[in-house]
Amino acid sequence: MTSLRDRLADGAYAAGWSVVKKLPEPVAAGLGRTIADIAWKRRGKGVQRLESNYARVVPDATPERLAELSRAGMRSYLRYWMESFRLPAWSEERVTHGFDPKDVHRLTDGIASDRGVILALPHMANWDLAGAWVTTGLKTPFTTVAERLKPESLYDRFVAYREGLGMEVLPHSGGSAFGTLARRLRDGGLVCLVAERDLSASGVEVEFFGETTRMPAGPALLAQQTGALLLPVTLWYDESSVMRGQVHPPVEVPGSGTRAEKTSVMTQALADAFAEGIAEHPEDWHMLQRLWLKDLDAGKTPREGSGARDPEKRAS
């Protein structure tokens, strides 16, 4: 049976896609900043967790600096949502000119090679806009996965939204996603995966800002199994209406070692690329959840009260 909370969540997202996309862009942007500032002032669990995560990224930051970062982080997070609610109504020109990545030749050369390309991203800025730019600006379809959400109707909304942007969306659960992704890559296709958080037993342990966490093995395993090019990508905002990005150098498959050893080395290389981008633009990293194993073991994050629970899961 669907709970009241689930029905309210589904209704809130439905309202966002139906109402916010009709607002003029400056009005939507202002609404996002207002909501972000209200949430930041309330100092809820999500804001406290965001701030504690930033304390890992900027270890010498004063409490005042962390507060500034968390406020900017909430504004960036709400900018993501306001843009995402409006993306289905954006013109092709608006999408094409809405993202300006550096070193995009690494991606376009990989696509042209028919080798298959895996893009791995952290939760930075607006990965949906980056995806829409790929399908619109580069005229290249791609495949991704989405976590199954409750209620099912909410998951269906996210799938329909992303398919409307030109993406093929596979459910994260069920075990068949990996095989489908591998087939797409062997056919010379493009796969995009948000890849800096995997707290399951199958996650690969990496060092991230000096402490241990787990990240998904999938990108490295897919690259090994299919020969596809593995490219880390980081994203950020500036004061303009254009999102910025960086396509980092490819993560190569090591020439020796077991599959597990190769996967460990490659996943650490992804973590290092993500850390480079996050350190330069921490306020655009939208990690409002526990990430480091030490926090999970303790049951709470530093600078965070007891009894904290994870915020709503995201379909990425």
Side-chain angles (χ1 to χ4, degrees), residues 78-272:
L78 264 295
R79 176 173 171 176
Y80 158 74
W81 279 113
M82 293 299 107
E83 286 182 347
S84 294
F85 287 142
R86 290 177 48 77
L87 261 176
W90 280 16
S91 68
E92 182 173 318
E93 181 181 11
R94 177 69 180 90
V95 172
T96 301
H97 295 291
F99 180 40
D100 181 24
K102 298 178 181 179
D103 296 319
V104 73
H105 67 88
R106 291 173 175 145
L107 170 57
T108 54
D109 289 351
I111 293 171
S113 73
D114 291 329
R115 167 183 176 182
V117 179
I118 307 159
L119 296 180
L121 305 89
H123 288 84
M124 292 187 77
N126 191 337
W127 43 97
D128 286 327
L129 172 55
W133 179 85
V134 168
T135 61
T136 301
L138 298 185
K139 308 295 184 186
T140 302
F142 67 87
T143 305
T144 188
V145 297
E147 180 183 8
R148 282 203 174 275
L149 300 177
K150 294 182 180 180
E152 190 73 14
S153 58
L154 180 55
Y155 170 77
D156 291 341
R157 288 187 194 279
F158 271 100
V159 170
Y161 158 63
R162 288 183 168 134
E163 288 180 341
L165 299 176
M167 311 175 193
E168 179 188 22
V169 183
L170 307 176
H172 188 272
S173 59
S176 62
F178 186 91
T180 302
L181 295 173
R183 287 193 295 274
R184 299 290 183 270
L185 291 167
R186 289 194 186 98
D187 290 339
L190 176 65
V191 165
C192 300
L193 301 170
V194 180
E196 94 278 31
R197 187 175 190 266
D198 182 356
L199 304 181
S200 69
S202 62
V204 179
E205 289 195 2
V206 295
E207 291 300 304
F208 194 54
F209 292 104
E211 294 188 34
T212 304
T213 186
R214 294 192 189 101
M215 293 188 180
L221 289 172
L222 284 167
Q224 291 176 61
Q225 187 165 315
T226 67
L229 186 70
L230 176 53
L231 294 173
V233 178
T234 52
L235 311 170
W236 66 91
Y237 291 125
D238 58 20
E239 297 302 318
S240 75
S241 61
V242 178
M243 183 176 71
R244 312 297 174 178
Q246 172 72 57
V247 182
H248 295 261
V251 173
E252 304 291 349
V253 178
S256 61
T258 65
R259 184 172 71 167
E261 289 169 343
K262 292 178 180 179
T263 301
S264 178
V265 170
M266 295 173 72
T267 307
Q268 183 63 61
L270 280 179
D272 293 342

